[in-house]
Amino acid sequence: MFEGLSAFPTTPTNADGEVDAVALARVLDRLAEAKVGSIGLLGSTGAYAYLSREERRRAVEAAKESIGERVPLLVGVGALRTDHAQQLARDAEAAGADALLLAPVSYAPLTQEEVYQHFVSVSNATGLPIVIYNNPTTTRFQFSLDLIQKLAIIPNIAAIKMPLPGETAFADEIRSLRALAPSGFSIGYSGDWGAADGLLAGAEAWYSVVAGLLPQPALALTQAAIAGDRAEAERLNAMFEPLWSLFKEFGSFRVMYAIGSLLGLFEAEPPRPVLPVPASARPRIEAALDELR
């Protein structure tokens, strides 16, 4: 479940934040048919922070009804309050989730100890394995290596979803993480434009935005990188470059809504106050999709 390609789809909703279960099922069925390694429901791409508890539960129930046991289902349960995250974890487990993704969502900046206690409390509320969601761009929280080490030894914390390492080489960061985590603890990366390098350096998983709507080319890239075929991975990654440029310019969150519309999967817009990409960018998104086809 924590290896290979984990696809993070958009969650189509109406303007009132109500999940379009039919459109969501359409998206998820594509992922199951493509045989991705797992589906990451209600991640940042899935707009978890903009949905009520009821709609998040409805999304998990719709997802499980759609994919059944075909693909493992990883569900985001991040919330501002610890008790709310615990409730979301129980809801996801009751609805049939296979694992949870937990980010330290905050308004007041959190300390390392506060995040540790938060993860302990949520892990005690569920029997499901948990993936640490390290997303400092969104949460403004930086996990220290000491904190990751403390969390990694909690029995049901099984993996970490890392951001791109910046100045540090992938191989060096992965080596550092492996030295402090127990055997079997999975290391994966988000940040789609750097994921191939992460996999080539030995990471187990790519937690992918683009795979949520374009699973086939993302799966090809994943398989080449895991196989150590650098030439093929670089060739495939080059095909994604126009899309990576759009992700960096407008934010992958906004671009994915436009892709969903262009593919005829849904007509939802991002939740306000987030605005759609400008109409002038849509021809560039179409051209990027053509490149991948």
Side-chain angles (χ1 to χ4, degrees):
M1 182 162 47
F2 308 121
E3 296 180 354
L5 181 65
S6 185
F8 279 68
T10 305
T11 308
T13 63
N14 63 18
D16 295 322
E18 297 169 340
V19 173
D20 183 341
V22 174
L24 179 60
R26 187 182 305 125
V27 170
L28 299 183
D29 188 62
R30 281 166 52 90
L31 303 182
E33 288 295 317
K35 296 181 171 57
V36 297
S38 63
I39 291 173
L41 189 73
L42 300 178
S44 297
T45 305
Y48 74 92
Y50 299 92
L51 298 175
S52 68
R53 177 186 177 186
E54 292 72 25
E55 290 305 314
R56 290 168 74 163
R57 182 169 52 213
R58 185 162 176 258
V60 182
E61 291 170 348
K64 198 62 184 177
E65 183 177 350
S66 171
I67 66 173
E69 302 301 322
R70 290 184 291 169
V71 182
L73 183 64
L74 171 66
V75 175
V77 294
L80 281 170
R81 292 173 56 99
T82 296
D83 56 342
H84 290 178
Q86 290 175 311
Q87 292 166 353
L88 291 165
R90 296 187 189 104
D91 288 348
E93 185 170 17
D98 298 293
L100 306 175
L101 178 69
L102 180 59
V105 181
S106 66
Y107 180 80
L110 298 175
T111 68
Q112 301 288 307
E113 180 62 21
E114 286 167 341
V115 170
Y116 174 72
Q117 294 293 342
H118 180 67
F119 272 78
V120 168
S121 297
V122 176
S123 71
N124 287 338
T126 177
L128 294 179
I130 294 174
V131 178
I132 301 167
Y133 191 0
N134 184 358
N135 187 1
T137 301
T138 299
T139 64
R140 303 296 189 268
F141 180 80
Q142 296 283 348
F143 282 84
S144 69
L145 288 177
D146 286 344
L147 178 56
I148 294 173
Q149 184 173 36
K150 287 175 65 177
L151 293 175
I153 62 175
I154 296 172
N156 59 329
I157 294 185
I160 189 166
K161 178 181 186 283
M162 292 289 291
L164 300 181
E167 298 300 319
T168 307
F170 279 100
D172 292 339
E173 181 171 86
I174 292 169
R175 191 178 304 112
S176 296
L177 292 171
R178 292 215 195 288
L180 57 83
S183 176
F185 185 80
S186 172
I187 300 166
Y189 284 91
S190 54
D192 280 8
W193 48 89
D197 289 333
L199 293 171
L200 284 164
E204 282 90 2
W206 173 17
Y207 296 97
S208 171
V209 172
V210 74
L213 294 178
L214 299 168
Q216 294 288 5
L219 194 58
L221 176 56
T222 303
Q223 291 168 343
I226 288 177
D229 188 342
R230 180 174 294 275
E232 178 64 2
E234 290 177 351
R235 184 188 73 82
L236 292 168
N237 192 65
M239 294 171 62
F240 278 103
E241 281 299 339
L243 194 56
W244 299 159
S245 295
L246 288 158
F247 278 11
K248 293 172 186 177
E249 182 176 350
F250 297 106
S252 59
F253 185 64
R254 297 177 182 86
V255 174
M256 289 292 280
Y257 279 89
I259 291 174
S261 173
L262 289 168
L263 294 178
L265 294 171
F266 53 78
E267 290 300 329
E269 292 190 347
R272 294 299 175 97
V274 181
L275 296 174
V277 295
S280 59
R282 287 178 71 92
R284 291 172 57 196
I285 298 173
E286 290 185 73
L289 294 177
D290 287 341
E291 182 74 15
L292 291 169
R293 294 191 185 104

Short mmCIF file of all heavy atoms in Angstrom, two decimals, residues 141-188:
data_model
loop_
_atom_site.label_atom_id
_atom_site.label_comp_id
_atom_site.label_asym_id
_atom_site.label_seq_id
_atom_site.Cartn_x
_atom_site.Cartn_y
_atom_site.Cartn_z
N PHE A 141 4.54 24.00 9.00
CA PHE A 141 5.20 23.27 10.08
C PHE A 141 6.35 22.45 9.51
O PHE A 141 6.18 21.76 8.50
CB PHE A 141 4.22 22.33 10.79
CG PHE A 141 4.86 21.55 11.90
CD1 PHE A 141 5.07 22.14 13.15
CD2 PHE A 141 5.30 20.25 11.70
CE1 PHE A 141 5.70 21.43 14.17
CE2 PHE A 141 5.92 19.53 12.72
CZ PHE A 141 6.12 20.14 13.96
N GLN A 142 7.50 22.53 10.16
CA GLN A 142 8.68 21.80 9.74
C GLN A 142 8.92 20.63 10.69
O GLN A 142 9.17 20.84 11.88
CB GLN A 142 9.92 22.72 9.74
CG GLN A 142 9.85 23.87 8.76
CD GLN A 142 10.13 23.44 7.32
OE1 GLN A 142 10.59 22.33 7.06
NE2 GLN A 142 9.84 24.33 6.38
N PHE A 143 8.83 19.40 10.18
CA PHE A 143 9.15 18.23 11.00
C PHE A 143 10.66 18.14 11.20
O PHE A 143 11.42 18.13 10.24
CB PHE A 143 8.68 16.95 10.30
CG PHE A 143 7.22 16.68 10.40
CD1 PHE A 143 6.33 17.26 9.50
CD2 PHE A 143 6.72 15.82 11.37
CE1 PHE A 143 4.97 16.99 9.58
CE2 PHE A 143 5.37 15.55 11.45
CZ PHE A 143 4.49 16.14 10.56
N SER A 144 11.08 18.07 12.44
CA SER A 144 12.50 17.82 12.71
C SER A 144 12.79 16.33 12.53
O SER A 144 11.88 15.48 12.60
CB SER A 144 12.85 18.24 14.13
OG SER A 144 12.23 17.38 15.08
N LEU A 145 14.05 15.99 12.33
CA LEU A 145 14.42 14.58 12.25
C LEU A 145 14.12 13.86 13.56
O LEU A 145 13.71 12.70 13.57
CB LEU A 145 15.90 14.44 11.88
CG LEU A 145 16.27 14.79 10.45
CD1 LEU A 145 17.78 14.68 10.24
CD2 LEU A 145 15.53 13.92 9.44
N ASP A 146 14.30 14.55 14.68
CA ASP A 146 13.99 13.94 15.98
C ASP A 146 12.50 13.60 16.08
O ASP A 146 12.13 12.54 16.59
CB ASP A 146 14.37 14.89 17.12
CG ASP A 146 15.87 14.97 17.34
OD1 ASP A 146 16.59 14.08 16.83
OD2 ASP A 146 16.33 15.92 18.01
N LEU A 147 11.66 14.49 15.60
CA LEU A 147 10.21 14.24 15.65
C LEU A 147 9.84 13.08 14.73
O LEU A 147 9.05 12.20 15.12
CB LEU A 147 9.43 15.49 15.26
CG LEU A 147 7.91 15.33 15.22
CD1 LEU A 147 7.36 14.84 16.56
CD2 LEU A 147 7.25 16.65 14.81
N ILE A 148 10.39 13.06 13.54
CA ILE A 148 10.10 11.93 12.63
C ILE A 148 10.52 10.62 13.27
O ILE A 148 9.80 9.61 13.20
CB ILE A 148 10.81 12.14 11.28
CG1 ILE A 148 10.21 13.36 10.55
CG2 ILE A 148 10.69 10.89 10.41
CD1 ILE A 148 10.95 13.75 9.30
N GLN A 149 11.67 10.61 13.93
CA GLN A 149 12.14 9.39 14.60
C GLN A 149 11.17 8.96 15.70
O GLN A 149 10.85 7.77 15.82
CB GLN A 149 13.53 9.61 15.19
CG GLN A 149 14.14 8.36 15.81
CD GLN A 149 15.58 8.60 16.22
OE1 GLN A 149 15.94 9.69 16.66
NE2 GLN A 149 16.41 7.58 16.07
N LYS A 150 10.68 9.91 16.49
CA LYS A 150 9.74 9.57 17.57
C LYS A 150 8.42 9.05 17.00
O LYS A 150 7.82 8.12 17.55
CB LYS A 150 9.48 10.81 18.43
CG LYS A 150 10.63 11.21 19.34
CD LYS A 150 10.33 12.51 20.06
CE LYS A 150 9.15 12.38 21.01
NZ LYS A 150 8.92 13.66 21.76
N LEU A 151 7.97 9.64 15.90
CA LEU A 151 6.71 9.21 15.31
C LEU A 151 6.84 7.86 14.61
O LEU A 151 5.92 7.04 14.64
CB LEU A 151 6.22 10.25 14.30
CG LEU A 151 5.80 11.61 14.88
CD1 LEU A 151 5.45 12.58 13.76
CD2 LEU A 151 4.62 11.45 15.83
N ALA A 152 7.99 7.62 14.00
CA ALA A 152 8.17 6.40 13.21
C ALA A 152 8.13 5.13 14.05
O ALA A 152 7.87 4.05 13.52
CB ALA A 152 9.48 6.46 12.44
N ILE A 153 8.37 5.25 15.36
CA ILE A 153 8.35 4.04 16.20
C ILE A 153 6.97 3.79 16.80
O ILE A 153 6.77 2.77 17.48
CB ILE A 153 9.41 4.11 17.32
CG1 ILE A 153 9.16 5.29 18.26
CG2 ILE A 153 10.81 4.19 16.71
CD1 ILE A 153 10.11 5.33 19.44
N ILE A 154 6.01 4.70 16.57
CA ILE A 154 4.63 4.42 16.99
C ILE A 154 4.10 3.29 16.11
O ILE A 154 4.21 3.35 14.88
CB ILE A 154 3.76 5.69 16.86
CG1 ILE A 154 4.27 6.77 17.83
CG2 ILE A 154 2.29 5.38 17.13
CD1 ILE A 154 3.60 8.11 17.66
N PRO A 155 3.55 2.24 16.70
CA PRO A 155 3.27 1.00 15.94
C PRO A 155 2.49 1.18 14.65
O PRO A 155 2.81 0.55 13.65
CB PRO A 155 2.51 0.14 16.95
CG PRO A 155 3.04 0.58 18.27
CD PRO A 155 3.29 2.05 18.15
N ASN A 156 1.46 2.02 14.63
CA ASN A 156 0.66 2.10 13.41
C ASN A 156 1.01 3.30 12.53
O ASN A 156 0.29 3.61 11.57
CB ASN A 156 -0.85 2.08 13.71
CG ASN A 156 -1.30 3.22 14.60
OD1 ASN A 156 -0.54 3.69 15.43
ND2 ASN A 156 -2.54 3.64 14.43
N ILE A 157 2.13 3.98 12.80
CA ILE A 157 2.62 4.99 11.87
C ILE A 157 3.62 4.29 10.95
O ILE A 157 4.69 3.87 11.38
CB ILE A 157 3.23 6.19 12.60
CG1 ILE A 157 2.12 6.91 13.38
CG2 ILE A 157 3.91 7.13 11.62
CD1 ILE A 157 2.55 8.19 14.07
N ALA A 158 3.24 4.17 9.69
CA ALA A 158 3.93 3.24 8.78
C ALA A 158 4.72 3.89 7.67
O ALA A 158 5.51 3.22 7.01
CB ALA A 158 2.88 2.30 8.15
N ALA A 159 4.54 5.20 7.44
CA ALA A 159 5.14 5.81 6.26
C ALA A 159 5.17 7.31 6.42
O ALA A 159 4.51 7.88 7.31
CB ALA A 159 4.36 5.43 5.01
N ILE A 160 5.94 7.96 5.55
CA ILE A 160 5.96 9.42 5.52
C ILE A 160 5.89 9.90 4.07
O ILE A 160 6.49 9.31 3.17
CB ILE A 160 7.23 9.97 6.22
CG1 ILE A 160 7.14 11.50 6.38
CG2 ILE A 160 8.51 9.56 5.49
CD1 ILE A 160 8.15 12.07 7.35
N LYS A 161 5.13 10.95 3.88
CA LYS A 161 4.99 11.63 2.59
C LYS A 161 5.78 12.92 2.69
O LYS A 161 5.38 13.87 3.37
CB LYS A 161 3.51 11.90 2.30
CG LYS A 161 3.18 12.64 1.03
CD LYS A 161 1.66 12.82 0.96
CE LYS A 161 1.19 13.43 -0.34
NZ LYS A 161 1.44 14.89 -0.39
N MET A 162 6.93 12.96 2.02
CA MET A 162 7.87 14.06 2.15
C MET A 162 7.70 15.08 1.03
O MET A 162 7.36 14.72 -0.11
CB MET A 162 9.30 13.53 2.11
CG MET A 162 9.69 12.69 3.32
SD MET A 162 9.87 13.67 4.82
CE MET A 162 11.35 14.62 4.44
N PRO A 163 8.01 16.35 1.30
CA PRO A 163 8.13 17.33 0.21
C PRO A 163 9.46 17.16 -0.49
O PRO A 163 10.34 16.44 -0.01
CB PRO A 163 8.07 18.67 0.96
CG PRO A 163 8.71 18.36 2.28
CD PRO A 163 8.31 16.95 2.62
N LEU A 164 9.63 17.81 -1.62
CA LEU A 164 10.92 17.76 -2.31
C LEU A 164 11.99 18.36 -1.41
O LEU A 164 11.75 19.34 -0.70
CB LEU A 164 10.83 18.51 -3.64
CG LEU A 164 9.81 17.96 -4.63
CD1 LEU A 164 9.83 18.77 -5.92
CD2 LEU A 164 10.05 16.49 -4.93
N PRO A 165 13.20 17.79 -1.42
CA PRO A 165 14.19 18.16 -0.41
C PRO A 165 14.93 19.47 -0.61
O PRO A 165 15.73 19.84 0.25
CB PRO A 165 15.17 16.98 -0.48
CG PRO A 165 15.03 16.43 -1.85
CD PRO A 165 13.61 16.65 -2.24
N GLY A 166 14.72 20.18 -1.66
CA GLY A 166 15.39 21.47 -1.81
C GLY A 166 16.88 21.31 -2.07
O GLY A 166 17.29 20.69 -3.05
N GLU A 167 17.69 21.85 -1.17
CA GLU A 167 19.14 21.84 -1.37
C GLU A 167 19.77 20.48 -1.11
O GLU A 167 20.87 20.20 -1.56
CB GLU A 167 19.80 22.89 -0.47
CG GLU A 167 19.38 24.32 -0.76
CD GLU A 167 19.69 24.76 -2.18
OE1 GLU A 167 20.80 24.42 -2.67
OE2 GLU A 167 18.85 25.43 -2.79
N THR A 168 19.09 19.64 -0.35
CA THR A 168 19.62 18.32 -0.01
C THR A 168 19.38 17.34 -1.15
O THR A 168 18.31 17.34 -1.75
CB THR A 168 18.95 17.78 1.27
OG1 THR A 168 19.07 18.75 2.31
CG2 THR A 168 19.57 16.47 1.71
N ALA A 169 20.35 16.49 -1.43
CA ALA A 169 20.16 15.46 -2.44
C ALA A 169 19.18 14.42 -1.94
O ALA A 169 19.15 14.09 -0.74
CB ALA A 169 21.50 14.80 -2.77
N PHE A 170 18.36 13.88 -2.85
CA PHE A 170 17.41 12.85 -2.47
C PHE A 170 18.10 11.70 -1.74
O PHE A 170 17.62 11.25 -0.69
CB PHE A 170 16.69 12.30 -3.70
CG PHE A 170 15.55 13.14 -4.19
CD1 PHE A 170 15.70 14.00 -5.26
CD2 PHE A 170 14.31 13.06 -3.58
CE1 PHE A 170 14.65 14.76 -5.73
CE2 PHE A 170 13.24 13.82 -4.03
CZ PHE A 170 13.41 14.68 -5.11
N ALA A 171 19.17 11.21 -2.30
CA ALA A 171 19.84 10.04 -1.71
C ALA A 171 20.30 10.33 -0.29
O ALA A 171 20.19 9.45 0.60
CB ALA A 171 21.02 9.61 -2.58
N ASP A 172 20.80 11.53 -0.03
CA ASP A 172 21.25 11.88 1.31
C ASP A 172 20.09 11.96 2.28
O ASP A 172 20.18 11.47 3.42
CB ASP A 172 21.99 13.22 1.29
CG ASP A 172 23.32 13.15 0.53
OD1 ASP A 172 23.85 12.03 0.38
OD2 ASP A 172 23.80 14.21 0.10
N GLU A 173 18.99 12.57 1.85
CA GLU A 173 17.83 12.67 2.73
C GLU A 173 17.24 11.30 3.02
O GLU A 173 16.89 10.98 4.17
CB GLU A 173 16.77 13.58 2.12
CG GLU A 173 15.55 13.74 3.01
CD GLU A 173 14.62 14.81 2.50
OE1 GLU A 173 13.76 14.50 1.65
OE2 GLU A 173 14.74 15.97 2.95
N ILE A 174 17.11 10.47 2.00
CA ILE A 174 16.56 9.13 2.19
C ILE A 174 17.45 8.33 3.14
O ILE A 174 16.97 7.60 4.02
CB ILE A 174 16.40 8.41 0.84
CG1 ILE A 174 15.28 9.10 0.02
CG2 ILE A 174 16.08 6.93 1.02
CD1 ILE A 174 15.21 8.66 -1.42
N ARG A 175 18.76 8.46 2.98
CA ARG A 175 19.70 7.77 3.87
C ARG A 175 19.51 8.21 5.32
O ARG A 175 19.49 7.39 6.25
CB ARG A 175 21.13 8.03 3.40
CG ARG A 175 22.18 7.15 4.08
CD ARG A 175 23.57 7.45 3.54
NE ARG A 175 23.63 7.29 2.08
CZ ARG A 175 23.82 8.29 1.23
NH1 ARG A 175 23.95 9.53 1.68
NH2 ARG A 175 23.87 8.07 -0.07
N SER A 176 19.32 9.50 5.54
CA SER A 176 19.11 10.03 6.89
C SER A 176 17.82 9.51 7.50
O SER A 176 17.77 9.13 8.67
CB SER A 176 19.08 11.56 6.87
OG SER A 176 20.32 12.09 6.46
N LEU A 177 16.76 9.48 6.68
CA LEU A 177 15.47 9.00 7.19
C LEU A 177 15.53 7.50 7.50
O LEU A 177 14.97 7.05 8.50
CB LEU A 177 14.38 9.29 6.16
CG LEU A 177 14.04 10.78 5.97
CD1 LEU A 177 13.11 10.96 4.77
CD2 LEU A 177 13.40 11.35 7.23
N ARG A 178 16.19 6.74 6.64
CA ARG A 178 16.28 5.29 6.90
C ARG A 178 17.07 5.00 8.18
O ARG A 178 16.78 4.03 8.88
CB ARG A 178 16.96 4.60 5.72
CG ARG A 178 16.15 4.62 4.44
CD ARG A 178 16.35 3.34 3.64
NE ARG A 178 15.86 3.52 2.28
CZ ARG A 178 14.58 3.59 1.94
NH1 ARG A 178 13.66 3.51 2.88
NH2 ARG A 178 14.22 3.76 0.68
N ALA A 179 18.03 5.85 8.48
CA ALA A 179 18.87 5.62 9.66
C ALA A 179 18.09 5.80 10.96
O ALA A 179 18.45 5.20 11.98
CB ALA A 179 20.07 6.56 9.64
N LEU A 180 17.02 6.59 10.94
CA LEU A 180 16.30 6.86 12.17
C LEU A 180 14.97 6.12 12.27
O LEU A 180 14.36 6.08 13.34
CB LEU A 180 16.07 8.37 12.34
CG LEU A 180 15.33 9.14 11.23
CD1 LEU A 180 13.84 9.03 11.36
CD2 LEU A 180 15.77 10.60 11.25
N ALA A 181 14.50 5.53 11.16
CA ALA A 181 13.20 4.85 11.16
C ALA A 181 13.39 3.34 11.23
O ALA A 181 14.41 2.81 10.79
CB ALA A 181 12.42 5.22 9.91
N PRO A 182 12.40 2.62 11.77
CA PRO A 182 12.50 1.16 11.82
C PRO A 182 12.41 0.54 10.44
O PRO A 182 11.94 1.18 9.47
CB PRO A 182 11.31 0.75 12.69
CG PRO A 182 10.34 1.88 12.57
CD PRO A 182 11.16 3.12 12.39
N SER A 183 12.84 -0.69 10.33
CA SER A 183 12.75 -1.42 9.07
C SER A 183 11.30 -1.50 8.61
O SER A 183 10.39 -1.74 9.41
CB SER A 183 13.32 -2.83 9.26
OG SER A 183 13.17 -3.59 8.09
N GLY A 184 11.08 -1.30 7.33
CA GLY A 184 9.73 -1.37 6.78
C GLY A 184 9.01 -0.04 6.73
O GLY A 184 7.94 0.06 6.13
N PHE A 185 9.57 0.99 7.35
CA PHE A 185 8.96 2.32 7.31
C PHE A 185 9.16 2.89 5.90
O PHE A 185 10.27 2.98 5.40
CB PHE A 185 9.63 3.21 8.35
CG PHE A 185 9.03 4.58 8.49
CD1 PHE A 185 7.87 4.77 9.23
CD2 PHE A 185 9.63 5.67 7.89
CE1 PHE A 185 7.32 6.04 9.37
CE2 PHE A 185 9.09 6.94 8.02
CZ PHE A 185 7.93 7.12 8.76
N SER A 186 8.06 3.27 5.26
CA SER A 186 8.10 3.67 3.85
C SER A 186 8.36 5.17 3.71
O SER A 186 7.75 5.98 4.41
CB SER A 186 6.78 3.31 3.17
OG SER A 186 6.71 3.86 1.87
N ILE A 187 9.23 5.50 2.76
CA ILE A 187 9.56 6.90 2.46
C ILE A 187 9.08 7.22 1.05
O ILE A 187 9.46 6.55 0.09
CB ILE A 187 11.07 7.15 2.57
CG1 ILE A 187 11.57 6.84 3.99
CG2 ILE A 187 11.41 8.59 2.18
CD1 ILE A 187 13.06 6.75 4.09
N GLY A 188 8.22 8.22 0.94
CA GLY A 188 7.71 8.63 -0.36
C GLY A 188 7.75 10.13 -0.50
O GLY A 188 7.93 10.86 0.48
#
